[in-house]
Amino acid sequence: MNHEDLLKFAVIAGKTILENGGETYRSEDTIERMLNNKVERVETFVTPTGIFASIENNGKIETTITRVKQRDSDLNKVALVNDLSRRFSKESLDTLDFSKYADELIKIRSKGKYSFLLRVFFAGVAAASSGMLLGSTIRDFIPTFITATILQCIVTYFEGLRLSTFIINIIGSAFAALLGLAFSHFAIGTLNGIIIGSIVTLLPGVAITNAVRDAIWGDLISAVSRGVEAGMSAISIAAGVGFVLNIWYVIGGKL
Amino acid sequence: MIQQIFFGFLATAGFAFLFNVPLDAIVVSGLSGAVGWAGYLLVMKIYPSTIAATFIASLFIGIMGEIFAQKKKYPTTIFVIPGIIPLVPGAYSYKTVLAIIQGNNKQAFDLGLQTIGIALAIAAGLMFVISFARIMRR
């Protein structure tokens, strides 16, 4: 087995963590941990959009660059890869059964999420409960639940079409505002409660928090790019909601 | 109060499902969300400042996350990310941009500062826990 394969394998493991909502430093740590006792020197530089890694052996340096384009939140994969990397780091180079680990990583990467219906249902539960925490009344619970479940269906559909997050957020939040208006017009729940509750599932919560976390860790480039990601999401959500509410106001509806 | 803590549990567990957290960790991460929200409500009763309350809540969620991560052998993130979602200033950041669109700059500035403050409070609470956990593990 050669060092190129080791490097490739470790970078794919790091990429899996980054693509599925793991932190930047965890991805860096994973690659370094996996290779530390197998090569002379390993250096990595990970940003939210790409991984640079190089190893040095007998004075020869090998480097690889990997772009990371899609981002998702699938914490199960982060946990599985984390576990795999810890076991891998304990293996020594002589006794390592490389193909076993490679198969395991491929299997992890192809794992699916919970079933669609379950995810839609819990999106509704999460949104309606968050709405309750953010100050809605119990009257908003059912309409928020309905809005969020339909919203989740729409988001999943458009994600399947590989539209950008920006567009998905605009369409989704516009739809949430539309349903909020419909419900509040017939006096089922309040407008603000329904909108704030149901857009919770779109909000860039992970990005905002990871941005500040990266900044404190000293990963300044990651912090800036995650901050931009969070800002873009917030703007697109507000644009979608603002668009619908504005039209409603102009044609003479009450807000 | 108990109703609010229950909704804290539901919200966190719901997000855990959305983020595809392993099945045996979902109830646990919901629990850490409930504890975090209890801390939030407690601080709001004593000293009504959203930023202080958020700091304490994320501190609690971080501590719970570290304990459960040790017990269940999962990364801390799995318990922390769903737990902090209800704390994240989503409603604030949405209101900020809406105020900008409406041309209400002064209000937007106030809301924006509040948003940043809350995000920093979450990060500070988590960092506190993570730094101590690293020292303890050595």
Side-chain angles (χ1 to χ4, degrees):
Chain A
M1 181 202 9
N2 49 26
H3 292 109
E4 283 98 339
D5 284 344
L6 274 181
L7 180 62
K8 257 193 231 162
F9 179 65
V11 167
I12 291 174
K15 190 183 171 193
T16 312
I17 285 184
L18 207 55
E19 278 175 345
N20 291 298
E23 310 95 311
T24 315
Y25 83 88
R26 186 179 300 282
S27 177
E28 241 170 51
D29 265 9
T30 301
I31 297 172
E32 272 170 26
R33 189 190 308 131
M34 286 169 85
L35 298 177
N36 238 337
N37 62 346
K38 297 175 186 67
V39 295
E40 278 169 24
R41 196 169 74 97
V42 45
E43 289 285 343
T44 61
F45 175 62
V46 177
T47 73
T49 51
I51 297 175
F52 308 77
S54 76
I55 52 172
E56 187 177 339
N57 243 334
N58 305 324
K60 226 178 97 194
I61 296 177
E62 281 149 25
T63 304
T64 166
I65 299 174
T66 311
R67 276 285 276 135
V68 176
K69 284 187 175 153
Q70 46 181 174
R71 268 186 301 284
D72 199 5
S73 307
D74 187 343
L75 297 178
N76 189 25
K77 284 183 188 163
V78 176
L80 289 171
V81 174
N82 195 58
D83 178 51
L84 179 137
S85 78
R86 276 181 203 285
R87 275 182 287 124
F88 190 82
S89 68
K90 289 195 189 101
E91 303 265 6
S92 77
L93 199 52
D94 315 317
T95 59
L96 176 66
D97 183 2
F98 185 68
S99 60
K100 191 188 91 184
Y101 282 100
D103 285 347
E104 195 184 332
L105 186 60
I106 291 169
K107 218 179 267 168
I108 290 173
R109 281 177 66 83
S110 64
K111 268 207 166 108
K113 291 188 170 186
Y114 287 115
S115 75
F116 175 69
L117 282 179
L118 211 59
R119 262 186 300 144
V120 167
F121 175 74
F122 278 102
V125 171
S129 314
S130 305
M132 293 300 294
L133 298 180
L134 297 170
S136 340
T137 53
I138 196 83
R139 271 178 62 222
D140 296 334
F141 192 88
I142 301 289
T144 310
F145 179 86
I146 295 169
T147 312
T149 45
I150 303 175
L151 178 62
Q152 186 67 20
C153 293
I154 293 176
V155 168
T156 315
Y157 175 70
F158 281 119
E159 271 172 357
L161 296 181
R162 299 208 166 269
L163 278 180
S164 75
T165 323
F166 192 73
I167 305 287
I168 293 176
N169 279 345
I170 289 181
I171 296 172
S173 59
F175 174 78
L178 215 60
L179 265 194
L181 279 175
F183 278 124
S184 63
H185 188 69
F186 296 108
I188 315 166
T190 56
L191 182 64
N192 273 345
I194 295 172
I195 292 181
I196 287 182
S198 52
I199 59 169
V200 158
T201 50
L202 297 175
L203 285 171
V206 181
I208 290 179
T209 314
N210 272 352
V212 187
R213 255 178 118 175
D214 282 343
I216 296 177
W217 275 102
D219 289 331
L220 296 180
I221 293 185
S222 308
V224 171
S225 39
R226 284 201 206 269
V228 171
E229 188 188 349
M232 288 291 277
S233 299
I235 290 169
S236 56
I237 292 168
V241 173
F243 174 71
V244 170
L245 291 188
N246 238 331
I247 289 179
W248 176 249
Y249 190 68
V250 167
I251 61 173
K254 260 191 292 178
L255 278 180
Chain B
M1 177 100 175
I2 287 172
Q3 189 198 19
Q4 285 268 303
I5 293 172
F6 176 67
F7 278 121
F9 175 85
L10 267 189
T12 314
F15 279 116
F17 262 102
L18 271 189
F19 293 143
N20 212 28
V21 167
L23 206 58
D24 57 332
I26 282 179
V27 174
V28 173
S29 69
L31 224 56
S32 78
V35 169
W37 197 255
Y40 182 94
L41 293 175
L42 205 69
V43 176
M44 284 303 255
K45 269 225 165 96
I46 302 165
Y47 178 70
S49 147
T50 320
I51 294 179
T54 306
F55 174 74
I56 295 295
S58 75
L59 204 65
F60 280 10
I61 289 169
I63 292 170
M64 296 288 278
E66 288 291 341
I67 293 171
F68 290 138
Q70 287 283 323
K71 280 215 167 125
K72 293 236 168 195
K73 302 281 172 221
Y74 282 130
T76 324
T77 338
I78 282 206
F79 306 106
V80 171
I81 287 188
I84 56 161
I85 294 279
L87 301 176
V88 164
Y92 276 99
S93 60
Y94 153 70
K95 281 180 196 159
T96 308
V97 185
L98 213 59
I100 294 172
I101 289 176
Q102 288 168 344
N104 207 339
N105 286 344
K106 214 170 172 188
Q107 200 193 351
F109 187 72
D110 286 349
L111 285 166
L113 275 186
Q114 191 83 355
T115 308
I116 295 169
I118 293 172
L120 282 173
I122 294 172
L126 289 180
M127 284 311 298
F128 214 72
V129 178
I130 293 166
S131 314
F132 273 105
R134 288 214 154 178
I135 297 168
M136 304 256 273
R137 235 172 258 163
R138 262 177 214 153

